[in-house]
Amino acid sequence: MSDFTGKSFLKLLDFTPDEIEYLINLAAKLKADKKNGISHRICEGKNIALIFEKTSTRTRCAFEVAAADLGMHPVYLDPQSSQIGKKESIADTARVLGRMFDGIEYRGFSQKTVEDLAKYSGVPVWNGLTDEFHPTQILADFLTVKEHFGRLKDIKFVYMGDARFNMGNSLMVGCAKMGMNFVACAPESYFPDGELISVCRNIAKETGASIEFETDPEKAVQNADVIYTDVWVSMGEPDGVWKERIEALLPYQVNKKLMDAAGEQCRFMHCLPSYHDLNTEVGRSVFDRFGLEELEVTDEVFESSKSIVFDEAENRMHTIKAVMAATLCENP
């Protein structure tokens, strides 16, 4: 296992399967310590900056609670609290923050921004989400899969819906790295970028993974261990894309019929938030415009015993803690 000390965590492509497995196992250990009341303030005195150009419930809470558990002090910078990219360049911001903080988290739009923060800051930088990749989410997803199935190798993992962006990209990379069987199920125009597919298929040749694409939902989910979906319109996208997405992706809604077609072993996952009812402003707005009470997943599936979305949400904190501990602290 290579030394993580001082390294950034920007995308899973940067890490070997053994390194990814190490972070998942470390997260499991830190989770067990927390559940058993074992203190692990191994980063006492460290200070970290949390830059959020895109707001988030889970990511912010995960980083702040994980930092507190490790003995660190987090400083939250929202879009109104920072001049990053507006009055001050990314490079200049990075060099300032790198002199004040021991680590920096970034959640926003461009992958280049988080890469530049890592290039110029001189401290570990962690990707909390960009338009291209969401690596901390994948660690949480894989810890959850391992908890429920006892393994990652040969798990059939079906991603249902728009696979062109950060979640489709990152899950495909993660499955390729960990020897899993990844299936993206969507209209062909919603498949990931061809260059990234090629990269992942080359990785899969070394790990025993498989990378497949399917347009027929019932065919895609046969013998699936996990069916995973995400919202159809991401934060920052124009409101006008809802009509196109609904027309294209409604056949890919995760419902009981699809879960039954997969088999009794199948579990449902979602990175959240989810539009499975009318209890959100967005959900009510979509209902008023399109008459749909449920979008990417039905409430029946979301609230079922096969849904492990809240295990997955909790694991954001444990896996983020592992990433920070491995890159900042001694003997995690």
Side-chain angles (χ1 to χ4, degrees), residues 21-43 62 65-72 139 143 147 314-332:
E21 184 175 18
Y22 170 81
L23 291 172
I24 293 170
N25 290 340
L26 176 58
K29 175 186 177 297
L30 293 171
K31 180 176 182 177
D33 285 349
K34 186 176 177 71
K35 299 290 185 184
N36 292 321
I38 300 172
S39 177
H40 43 277
R41 297 176 64 86
I42 55 177
C43 300
V65 173
D69 284 353
L70 292 170
M72 299 193 291
L139 290 183
L143 174 59
E147 287 174 340
E314 177 191 340
N315 283 338
R316 292 297 311 283
M317 188 265 290
H318 302 299
T319 47
I320 281 169
K321 186 188 294 184
V323 169
M324 293 195 296
T327 54
L328 276 188
C329 313
E330 292 184 6
N331 302 317

Side-chain angles (χ1 to χ4, degrees), residues 291-322:
L292 296 173
E293 296 186 15
E294 305 158 314
L295 294 175
E296 72 279 0
V297 60
T298 63
D299 193 58
E300 182 179 22
V301 169
F302 188 89
E303 296 291 355
S304 74
S305 60
K306 292 188 175 185
S307 174
I308 54 176
V309 298
F310 295 109
D311 293 344
E312 182 184 0
E314 177 191 340
N315 283 338
R316 292 297 311 283
M317 188 265 290
H318 302 299
T319 47
I320 281 169
K321 186 188 294 184

